[in-house]
Amino acid sequence: MDRAFFRRAGLVLAFATLLGAAFSGAASAQNLSRAQMQAVRAACEADIRATCPGVQPGGGRILQCIKANPDKISQPCKDALVAAKAASAQ
């Protein structure tokens, strides 16, 4: 397998971890549709790469990085996280 595959797999895991932590539990994150998860990923991927490049996924570390750097996170990413959180609450 090539390096790009593992990088992509790591980002997918990072987003899953981010969403799970953002919604305070795996059960809530499971309520998100695939489209909602993809929307968050599309909106936030560049922000996470630029703002948190050395942060290892897991344990809520990416979410902590985002919370610690709100001024570096784009509005579309923030909007996608808020929308996904609202959808998981329903």
Side-chain angles (χ1 to χ4, degrees):
M1 303 253 166
D2 66 359
R3 197 171 182 190
F5 172 80
F6 288 109
R7 177 180 281 186
R8 183 178 168 105
L11 283 174
V12 170
L13 177 61
F15 283 110
T17 302
L18 171 66
L19 289 173
F23 305 122
S24 66
S28 295
Q30 290 175 353
N31 291 334
L32 293 178
S33 71
R34 183 176 186 158
Q36 289 165 327
M37 299 261 302
Q38 288 175 339
V40 171
R41 179 175 177 227
C44 298
E45 184 173 10
D47 292 338
I48 291 172
R49 283 186 186 198
T51 306
C52 311
V55 177
Q56 293 295 317
R61 289 183 285 268
I62 291 176
L63 183 60
Q64 287 176 316
C65 178
I66 287 175
K67 285 182 177 180
N69 297 286
D71 55 322
K72 296 179 182 177
I73 303 302
S74 68
Q75 193 61 47
C77 178
K78 291 176 186 176
D79 293 344
L81 289 169
V82 168
K85 185 174 182 179
S88 73
Q90 294 176 352

